[in-house]
Amino acid sequence: MTLPESVSLHYFELISSTHASVSSSTFLRSSRPLTNCTIVMTRKMTFRSGNALRLCCSDSNHSAPLTSTTTIATGGPAPPVLKRRKRYRREYPGESKGITEELRFVAMRLHNVNGKKLSGDAVDSSSEDEVGEEDDGNLALSDDENDENGDGTQTWQPSLEGFLKYLVDSKLVFSTVERIVDESGDVAYSYFRKSGLERSECLAKDLEWFREQGIVIPEPTIPGVSYAKYLEELAERSAPLFLCHYYNIYFSHIAGGQVIAKRVSERLLEGRKLEFYTWAGDAEELLKNVREKLNMLGEHWSRDDRNKCLREATKTFRFLGQIVRLIIS
């Protein structure tokens, strides 16, 4: 049934006024901010003439819908996510086995240049970055009598006076190292106390024997005094750097000291073997224990500290080379 036009208009006015009053009162009572709200009411009124009247009623304060700040998906495929390629640091030679193995690889670079053995002078002129763990015997000594065979090694003619200087300076260095390890409050040094590698008491016995033979014992020379002073300062500043010297000093003496002992015994001491080159136990086994402890500590060092330790090895063998060369002075 179709309502008269007058009745239709009457109901439209009534609905419009009612909606307006409800809408305004609702918004006035609401304490929440109107940020993105639009109320629309549509009524379709049909008249007898067949025409339709479509009217819209909306809140006067929000005549147009607000634009949403949220991105609307278009429905297409999402762009691929580009992941940054993870870069892995290149591992240093020997790094997986420990700091002493890294020192060994560096020693190989220091010991060889184009396949030839370095002399002591070459060690002094080597770069700070070319660090190593070479033994003190090979820094200045060779098993060959001279270089007539063209092997590039240095002729070595020891003297008793020079050998005594070497022993005196060595005693100063070993005494300094052992005193620092025994007296320091740094817990890192405590691992290396009573290692069995200590040499200062043995050197004292050897020097006393020479004194009993009527030989005057000289005072420490500049190389030994300088190195001992440097070690004292370094021990206060950096445990990793000091322990690099500690390990290399004992390693050098065990490895290269045998060359010195053999030559000196044959040429100067009539076959006598000094206490300096004698250990109560197996020297290699004692050194292995020290190596394991140093590797254990090295696991807690930063890569920067380990690199500094490797570079410090150059200074170790520079000092040791100067002391060894006292033998041929």
Side-chain angles (χ1 to χ4, degrees):
M1 181 180 66
T2 304
L3 297 176
E5 183 177 352
S6 59
V7 176
S8 300
L9 291 175
H10 173 71
Y11 278 104
F12 170 73
E13 292 174 354
L14 179 61
I15 293 172
S16 300
S17 61
T18 301
H19 172 71
S21 62
V22 171
S23 299
S24 60
S25 62
T26 302
F27 284 108
L28 288 175
R29 289 196 304 269
S30 176
S31 60
R32 300 175 61 185
L34 304 178
T35 57
N36 190 12
C37 178
T38 300
I39 299 177
V40 179
M41 184 183 72
T42 302
R43 295 287 296 176
K44 182 177 180 181
M45 309 298 292
T46 305
F47 300 95
R48 284 180 297 180
S49 59
N51 295 327
L53 176 63
R54 184 183 299 272
L55 297 176
C56 295
C57 297
S58 63
D59 179 60
S60 59
N61 294 329
H62 298 79
S63 58
L66 300 178
T67 303
S68 175
T69 58
T70 304
T71 303
I72 301 176
T74 59
V81 178
L82 299 179
K83 294 183 179 180
R84 177 177 293 182
R85 184 178 180 181
K86 188 174 182 179
R87 301 180 63 181
Y88 294 92
R89 178 179 62 82
R90 184 177 180 180
E91 193 174 75
Y92 282 69
E95 182 178 356
S96 60
K97 294 184 178 180
I99 183 63
T100 59
E101 186 69 7
E102 292 187 56
L103 287 171
R104 188 182 72 83
F105 275 94
V106 176
M108 294 169 62
R109 295 201 301 269
L110 179 64
H111 184 55
N112 295 280
V113 175
N114 296 327
K116 295 183 180 180
K117 183 181 297 184
L118 286 178
S119 65
D121 293 336
V123 172
D124 283 343
S125 62
S126 62
S127 169
E128 287 286 330
D129 293 333
E130 291 296 321
V131 297
E133 186 190 22
E134 185 52 56
D135 58 85
D136 58 1
N138 285 335
L139 287 175
L141 309 179
S142 170
D143 287 332
D144 300 315
E145 291 292 332
N146 48 49
D147 57 355
E148 292 180 357
N149 295 329
D151 58 3
T153 54
Q154 176 181 345
T155 301
W156 186 65
Q157 296 293 337
S159 67
L160 182 59
E161 180 183 0
F163 183 65
L164 287 174
K165 292 179 181 178
Y166 165 74
L167 292 180
V168 170
D169 279 20
S170 295
K171 181 179 182 299
L172 177 60
V173 171
F174 279 101
S175 297
T176 301
V177 170
E178 292 162 13
R179 174 174 51 80
I180 291 173
V181 170
D182 290 339
E183 299 178 0
S184 176
D186 194 318
V187 67
Y189 300 152
S190 63
Y191 291 96
F192 304 96
R193 294 171 183 167
K194 307 299 181 182
S195 65
L197 296 176
E198 292 80 10
R199 298 287 89 194
S200 59
E201 292 185 4
C202 297
L203 280 164
K205 293 178 181 179
D206 289 334
L207 292 174
E208 181 61 28
W209 180 84
F210 280 106
R211 189 177 289 107
E212 292 174 353
Q213 309 306 310
I215 300 175
V216 178
I217 306 301
E219 294 295 322
T221 65
I222 292 178
V225 173
S226 300
Y227 193 23
K229 181 180 179 181
Y230 179 78
L231 289 172
E232 289 179 346
E233 296 174 351
L234 189 64
E236 294 292 333
R237 178 162 48 92
S238 173
L241 299 188
F242 172 80
L243 290 176
C244 170
H245 284 264
Y246 173 91
Y247 176 77
N248 284 329
I249 287 172
Y250 286 105
F251 174 85
S252 299
H253 178 59
I254 293 174
Q258 305 307 314
V259 178
I260 299 176
K262 179 181 177 181
R263 282 303 186 83
V264 172
S265 177
E266 292 175 352
R267 300 192 179 192
L268 303 176
L269 304 178
E270 299 179 352
R272 176 183 175 85
K273 188 173 184 179
L274 299 178
E275 294 290 331
F276 187 30
Y277 306 104
T278 304
W279 286 265
D282 186 350
E284 292 292 340
E285 189 66 25
L286 295 174
L287 184 64
K288 179 183 177 182
N289 294 335
V290 169
R291 184 183 299 116
E292 292 175 352
K293 293 177 181 179
L294 186 57
N295 285 336
M296 178 189 67
L297 289 177
E299 293 177 357
H300 303 283
W301 296 346
S302 66
R303 185 63 254 178
D304 183 60
D305 285 338
R306 292 163 74 97
N307 289 343
K308 290 179 180 178
C309 183
L310 297 178
R311 290 192 293 268
E312 192 68 19
T314 292
K315 296 180 181 179
T316 303
F317 295 106
R318 182 170 298 167
F319 281 116
L320 292 178
Q322 292 173 354
I323 294 174
V324 168
R325 279 189 291 275
L326 292 173
I327 300 176
I328 59 176
S329 62

